[in-house]
mmCIF file of all heavy atoms in Angstrom:
data_model
loop_
_atom_site.group_PDB
_atom_site.id
_atom_site.type_symbol
_atom_site.label_atom_id
_atom_site.label_comp_id
_atom_site.label_asym_id
_atom_site.label_seq_id
_atom_site.Cartn_x
_atom_site.Cartn_y
_atom_site.Cartn_z
ATOM 1 N N GLU A 327 -11.394 50.382 24.197
ATOM 2 C CA GLU A 327 -11.770 51.782 23.976
ATOM 3 C C GLU A 327 -10.554 52.665 23.719
ATOM 4 O O GLU A 327 -10.568 53.489 22.806
ATOM 5 C CB GLU A 327 -12.605 52.317 25.140
ATOM 6 C CG GLU A 327 -14.030 51.804 25.094
ATOM 7 C CD GLU A 327 -14.990 52.611 25.952
ATOM 8 O OE1 GLU A 327 -14.617 53.676 26.499
ATOM 9 O OE2 GLU A 327 -16.149 52.176 26.055
ATOM 10 N N GLY A 330 -9.057 51.506 20.373
ATOM 11 C CA GLY A 330 -9.997 51.851 19.303
ATOM 12 C C GLY A 330 -9.999 53.333 19.015
ATOM 13 O O GLY A 330 -10.053 53.761 17.863
ATOM 14 N N ASN A 331 -9.922 54.137 20.078
ATOM 15 C CA ASN A 331 -9.847 55.584 19.890
ATOM 16 C C ASN A 331 -8.571 55.949 19.138
ATOM 17 O O ASN A 331 -8.606 56.781 18.229
ATOM 18 C CB ASN A 331 -9.906 56.315 21.228
ATOM 19 C CG ASN A 331 -9.876 57.820 21.051
ATOM 20 O OD1 ASN A 331 -8.844 58.386 20.681
ATOM 21 N ND2 ASN A 331 -11.005 58.473 21.303
ATOM 22 N N MET A 332 -7.469 55.311 19.504
ATOM 23 C CA MET A 332 -6.202 55.597 18.812
ATOM 24 C C MET A 332 -6.312 55.282 17.326
ATOM 25 O O MET A 332 -5.831 56.049 16.488
ATOM 26 C CB MET A 332 -5.069 54.772 19.420
ATOM 27 C CG MET A 332 -4.711 55.162 20.819
ATOM 28 S SD MET A 332 -3.527 53.982 21.484
ATOM 29 C CE MET A 332 -2.086 55.009 21.426
ATOM 30 N N VAL A 333 -6.944 54.148 17.014
ATOM 31 C CA VAL A 333 -7.081 53.753 15.612
ATOM 32 C C VAL A 333 -7.912 54.780 14.843
ATOM 33 O O VAL A 333 -7.485 55.271 13.799
ATOM 34 C CB VAL A 333 -7.706 52.339 15.500
ATOM 35 C CG1 VAL A 333 -8.143 52.038 14.065
ATOM 36 C CG2 VAL A 333 -6.718 51.279 15.987
ATOM 37 N N LEU A 334 -9.083 55.120 15.361
ATOM 38 C CA LEU A 334 -9.943 56.064 14.623
ATOM 39 C C LEU A 334 -9.354 57.472 14.584
ATOM 40 O O LEU A 334 -9.421 58.141 13.552
ATOM 41 C CB LEU A 334 -11.350 56.082 15.222
ATOM 42 C CG LEU A 334 -12.171 54.808 15.023
ATOM 43 C CD1 LEU A 334 -13.564 54.964 15.614
ATOM 44 C CD2 LEU A 334 -12.257 54.418 13.550
ATOM 45 N N THR A 335 -8.776 57.920 15.683
ATOM 46 C CA THR A 335 -8.169 59.254 15.699
ATOM 47 C C THR A 335 -7.049 59.349 14.668
ATOM 48 O O THR A 335 -6.974 60.319 13.902
ATOM 49 C CB THR A 335 -7.650 59.593 17.119
ATOM 50 O OG1 THR A 335 -8.769 59.618 18.020
ATOM 51 C CG2 THR A 335 -6.960 60.943 17.148
ATOM 52 N N ARG A 336 -6.193 58.340 14.624
ATOM 53 C CA ARG A 336 -5.106 58.349 13.622
ATOM 54 C C ARG A 336 -5.654 58.261 12.210
ATOM 55 O O ARG A 336 -5.141 58.918 11.302
ATOM 56 C CB ARG A 336 -4.144 57.194 13.878
ATOM 57 C CG ARG A 336 -3.269 57.434 15.046
ATOM 58 C CD ARG A 336 -2.212 56.391 15.134
ATOM 59 N NE ARG A 336 -1.558 56.457 16.420
ATOM 60 C CZ ARG A 336 -0.516 55.738 16.744
ATOM 61 N NH1 ARG A 336 -0.001 54.895 15.875
ATOM 62 N NH2 ARG A 336 0.025 55.854 17.936
ATOM 63 N N LEU A 337 -6.663 57.438 12.025
ATOM 64 C CA LEU A 337 -7.280 57.322 10.705
ATOM 65 C C LEU A 337 -7.785 58.679 10.242
ATOM 66 O O LEU A 337 -7.504 59.116 9.127
ATOM 67 C CB LEU A 337 -8.435 56.314 10.744
ATOM 68 C CG LEU A 337 -9.265 56.191 9.471
ATOM 69 C CD1 LEU A 337 -8.440 55.587 8.336
ATOM 70 C CD2 LEU A 337 -10.514 55.353 9.738
ATOM 71 N N PHE A 338 -8.511 59.375 11.114
ATOM 72 C CA PHE A 338 -9.084 60.672 10.748
ATOM 73 C C PHE A 338 -8.010 61.738 10.544
ATOM 74 O O PHE A 338 -8.180 62.638 9.731
ATOM 75 C CB PHE A 338 -10.091 61.132 11.800
ATOM 76 C CG PHE A 338 -11.272 60.207 11.978
ATOM 77 C CD1 PHE A 338 -11.970 60.188 13.170
ATOM 78 C CD2 PHE A 338 -11.695 59.353 10.969
ATOM 79 C CE1 PHE A 338 -13.068 59.355 13.354
ATOM 80 C CE2 PHE A 338 -12.787 58.504 11.134
ATOM 81 C CZ PHE A 338 -13.472 58.505 12.328
ATOM 82 N N LYS A 339 -6.922 61.648 11.289
ATOM 83 C CA LYS A 339 -5.837 62.622 11.119
ATOM 84 C C LYS A 339 -5.051 62.351 9.838
ATOM 85 O O LYS A 339 -4.670 63.285 9.132
ATOM 86 C CB LYS A 339 -4.907 62.603 12.329
ATOM 87 C CG LYS A 339 -5.520 63.268 13.539
ATOM 88 C CD LYS A 339 -4.574 63.277 14.719
ATOM 89 C CE LYS A 339 -5.223 63.972 15.918
ATOM 90 N NZ LYS A 339 -4.331 64.005 17.081
ATOM 91 N N GLN A 340 -4.796 61.067 9.557
ATOM 92 C CA GLN A 340 -4.023 60.712 8.362
ATOM 93 C C GLN A 340 -4.835 60.879 7.080
ATOM 94 O O GLN A 340 -4.300 61.263 6.050
ATOM 95 C CB GLN A 340 -3.514 59.273 8.456
ATOM 96 C CG GLN A 340 -2.437 59.083 9.484
ATOM 97 C CD GLN A 340 -2.036 57.618 9.655
ATOM 98 O OE1 GLN A 340 -2.402 56.758 8.862
ATOM 99 N NE2 GLN A 340 -1.290 57.340 10.702
ATOM 100 N N PRO A 342 -8.219 62.687 6.500
ATOM 101 C CA PRO A 342 -9.371 63.459 6.986
ATOM 102 C C PRO A 342 -10.688 63.163 6.262
ATOM 103 O O PRO A 342 -11.757 63.257 6.865
ATOM 104 C CB PRO A 342 -8.941 64.916 6.771
ATOM 105 C CG PRO A 342 -7.453 64.870 6.736
ATOM 106 C CD PRO A 342 -7.087 63.536 6.141
ATOM 107 N N GLN A 345 -13.240 60.741 7.956
ATOM 108 C CA GLN A 345 -14.102 61.187 9.055
ATOM 109 C C GLN A 345 -15.518 61.483 8.534
ATOM 110 O O GLN A 345 -16.501 61.275 9.248
ATOM 111 C CB GLN A 345 -13.505 62.406 9.751
ATOM 112 C CG GLN A 345 -14.221 62.770 11.041
ATOM 113 C CD GLN A 345 -13.489 63.846 11.837
ATOM 114 O OE1 GLN A 345 -12.356 64.199 11.549
ATOM 115 N NE2 GLN A 345 -14.159 64.370 12.846
ATOM 116 N N LYS A 350 -21.696 60.741 12.676
ATOM 117 C CA LYS A 350 -21.717 61.243 14.058
ATOM 118 C C LYS A 350 -20.388 61.861 14.492
ATOM 119 O O LYS A 350 -20.307 62.467 15.547
ATOM 120 C CB LYS A 350 -22.155 60.147 15.035
ATOM 121 C CG LYS A 350 -21.260 58.941 15.116
ATOM 122 C CD LYS A 350 -21.878 57.899 16.038
ATOM 123 C CE LYS A 350 -21.068 56.628 16.045
ATOM 124 N NZ LYS A 350 -21.698 55.587 16.854
ATOM 125 N N PHE A 351 -19.351 61.733 13.666
ATOM 126 C CA PHE A 351 -18.047 62.308 14.007
ATOM 127 C C PHE A 351 -17.689 63.523 13.158
ATOM 128 O O PHE A 351 -16.641 64.127 13.348
ATOM 129 C CB PHE A 351 -16.934 61.265 13.857
ATOM 130 C CG PHE A 351 -17.139 60.018 14.666
ATOM 131 C CD1 PHE A 351 -16.717 58.793 14.180
ATOM 132 C CD2 PHE A 351 -17.743 60.057 15.907
ATOM 133 C CE1 PHE A 351 -16.900 57.638 14.923
ATOM 134 C CE2 PHE A 351 -17.935 58.899 16.658
ATOM 135 C CZ PHE A 351 -17.511 57.686 16.162
ATOM 136 N N VAL A 352 -18.537 63.889 12.219
ATOM 137 C CA VAL A 352 -18.229 64.959 11.260
ATOM 138 C C VAL A 352 -17.891 66.280 11.942
ATOM 139 O O VAL A 352 -16.948 66.944 11.567
ATOM 140 C CB VAL A 352 -19.373 65.124 10.235
ATOM 141 C CG1 VAL A 352 -19.188 66.387 9.406
ATOM 142 C CG2 VAL A 352 -19.436 63.921 9.321
ATOM 143 N N GLY A 353 -18.619 66.657 12.965
ATOM 144 C CA GLY A 353 -18.405 67.962 13.589
ATOM 145 C C GLY A 353 -17.328 67.986 14.667
ATOM 146 O O GLY A 353 -17.065 69.033 15.252
ATOM 147 N N ILE A 354 -16.674 66.871 14.912
ATOM 148 C CA ILE A 354 -15.675 66.818 15.987
ATOM 149 C C ILE A 354 -14.345 67.346 15.459
ATOM 150 O O ILE A 354 -13.820 66.854 14.452
ATOM 151 C CB ILE A 354 -15.513 65.383 16.517
ATOM 152 C CG1 ILE A 354 -16.854 64.862 17.050
ATOM 153 C CG2 ILE A 354 -14.449 65.331 17.618
ATOM 154 C CD1 ILE A 354 -16.854 63.388 17.414
ATOM 155 N N ALA A 355 -13.803 68.337 16.160
ATOM 156 C CA ALA A 355 -12.508 68.902 15.770
ATOM 157 C C ALA A 355 -11.406 67.861 15.972
ATOM 158 O O ALA A 355 -11.486 67.022 16.880
ATOM 159 C CB ALA A 355 -12.210 70.138 16.608
ATOM 160 N N GLU A 356 -10.390 67.932 15.129
ATOM 161 C CA GLU A 356 -9.267 66.997 15.224
ATOM 162 C C GLU A 356 -8.675 66.959 16.631
ATOM 163 O O GLU A 356 -8.342 65.899 17.149
ATOM 164 C CB GLU A 356 -8.188 67.373 14.198
ATOM 165 C CG GLU A 356 -7.032 66.400 14.151
ATOM 166 C CD GLU A 356 -5.994 66.772 13.128
ATOM 167 O OE1 GLU A 356 -6.355 66.913 11.936
ATOM 168 O OE2 GLU A 356 -4.821 66.921 13.517
ATOM 169 N N SER A 357 -8.581 68.115 17.264
ATOM 170 C CA SER A 357 -7.999 68.195 18.609
ATOM 171 C C SER A 357 -8.872 67.533 19.678
ATOM 172 O O SER A 357 -8.387 67.214 20.762
ATOM 173 C CB SER A 357 -7.737 69.657 18.980
ATOM 174 O OG SER A 357 -8.955 70.381 18.944
ATOM 175 N N ASP A 358 -10.142 67.311 19.376
ATOM 176 C CA ASP A 358 -11.064 66.707 20.347
ATOM 177 C C ASP A 358 -11.290 65.212 20.132
ATOM 178 O O ASP A 358 -11.951 64.569 20.955
ATOM 179 C CB ASP A 358 -12.417 67.415 20.294
ATOM 180 C CG ASP A 358 -12.326 68.876 20.724
ATOM 181 O OD1 ASP A 358 -11.417 69.208 21.515
ATOM 182 O OD2 ASP A 358 -13.160 69.678 20.256
ATOM 183 N N LEU A 359 -10.777 64.661 19.054
ATOM 184 C CA LEU A 359 -11.030 63.255 18.733
ATOM 185 C C LEU A 359 -10.543 62.309 19.829
ATOM 186 O O LEU A 359 -11.268 61.395 20.225
ATOM 187 C CB LEU A 359 -10.366 62.881 17.402
ATOM 188 C CG LEU A 359 -10.992 63.457 16.145
ATOM 189 C CD1 LEU A 359 -10.081 63.248 14.946
ATOM 190 C CD2 LEU A 359 -12.360 62.842 15.896
ATOM 191 N N SER A 360 -9.336 62.523 20.310
ATOM 192 C CA SER A 360 -8.753 61.570 21.265
ATOM 193 C C SER A 360 -9.460 61.543 22.609
ATOM 194 O O SER A 360 -9.338 60.567 23.350
ATOM 195 C CB SER A 360 -7.259 61.844 21.455
ATOM 196 O OG SER A 360 -7.074 63.131 21.999
ATOM 197 N N SER A 361 -10.235 62.575 22.925
ATOM 198 C CA SER A 361 -10.952 62.597 24.200
ATOM 199 C C SER A 361 -12.457 62.362 24.029
ATOM 200 O O SER A 361 -13.203 62.407 25.005
ATOM 201 C CB SER A 361 -10.715 63.929 24.920
ATOM 202 O OG SER A 361 -11.205 65.000 24.132
ATOM 203 N N ASN A 362 -12.881 62.064 22.815
ATOM 204 C CA ASN A 362 -14.307 61.911 22.545
ATOM 205 C C ASN A 362 -14.769 60.488 22.876
ATOM 206 O O ASN A 362 -14.251 59.504 22.340
ATOM 207 C CB ASN A 362 -14.601 62.241 21.081
ATOM 208 C CG ASN A 362 -16.072 62.248 20.788
ATOM 209 O OD1 ASN A 362 -16.689 61.199 20.671
ATOM 210 N ND2 ASN A 362 -16.636 63.449 20.672
ATOM 211 N N LYS A 363 -15.758 60.380 23.738
ATOM 212 C CA LYS A 363 -16.289 59.097 24.197
ATOM 213 C C LYS A 363 -16.897 58.290 23.049
ATOM 214 O O LYS A 363 -16.711 57.068 22.979
ATOM 215 C CB LYS A 363 -17.327 59.347 25.305
ATOM 216 C CG LYS A 363 -17.890 58.114 25.913
ATOM 217 C CD LYS A 363 -16.905 57.473 26.859
ATOM 218 C CE LYS A 363 -17.567 56.321 27.608
ATOM 219 N NZ LYS A 363 -16.604 55.335 28.047
ATOM 220 N N GLN A 364 -17.617 58.961 22.136
ATOM 221 C CA GLN A 364 -18.231 58.245 21.008
ATOM 222 C C GLN A 364 -17.177 57.650 20.076
ATOM 223 O O GLN A 364 -17.361 56.544 19.570
ATOM 224 C CB GLN A 364 -19.149 59.176 20.219
ATOM 225 C CG GLN A 364 -20.463 59.468 20.903
ATOM 226 C CD GLN A 364 -21.357 60.321 20.008
ATOM 227 O OE1 GLN A 364 -20.926 61.336 19.470
ATOM 228 N NE2 GLN A 364 -22.595 59.892 19.859
ATOM 229 N N VAL A 365 -16.086 58.363 19.867
ATOM 230 C CA VAL A 365 -14.997 57.844 19.039
ATOM 231 C C VAL A 365 -14.402 56.611 19.719
ATOM 232 O O VAL A 365 -14.155 55.584 19.067
ATOM 233 C CB VAL A 365 -13.921 58.923 18.777
ATOM 234 C CG1 VAL A 365 -12.701 58.335 18.078
ATOM 235 C CG2 VAL A 365 -14.510 60.068 17.950
ATOM 236 N N SER A 366 -14.211 56.692 21.031
ATOM 237 C CA SER A 366 -13.672 55.553 21.785
ATOM 238 C C SER A 366 -14.591 54.342 21.695
ATOM 239 O O SER A 366 -14.127 53.216 21.485
ATOM 240 C CB SER A 366 -13.474 55.928 23.254
ATOM 241 O OG SER A 366 -12.519 56.945 23.376
ATOM 242 N N GLU A 367 -15.881 54.578 21.868
ATOM 243 C CA GLU A 367 -16.845 53.477 21.836
ATOM 244 C C GLU A 367 -16.913 52.833 20.454
ATOM 245 O O GLU A 367 -16.957 51.604 20.335
ATOM 246 C CB GLU A 367 -18.223 53.968 22.270
ATOM 247 C CG GLU A 367 -18.304 54.268 23.748
ATOM 248 C CD GLU A 367 -19.597 54.972 24.166
ATOM 249 O OE1 GLU A 367 -20.409 55.367 23.290
ATOM 250 O OE2 GLU A 367 -19.781 55.138 25.393
#
Side-chain angles (χ1 to χ4, degrees):
E327 284 197 8
N331 182 289
M332 292 173 107
V333 167
L334 291 182
T335 297
R336 286 189 193 186
L337 174 67
F338 299 155
K339 286 182 179 180
Q340 290 175 12
Q345 190 171 349
K350 62 184 175 184
F351 304 146
V352 169
I354 301 172
E356 184 179 304
S357 59
D358 296 333
L359 289 168
S360 62
S361 61
N362 186 284
K363 183 76 173 154
Q364 285 184 311
V365 172
S366 296
E367 288 171 353

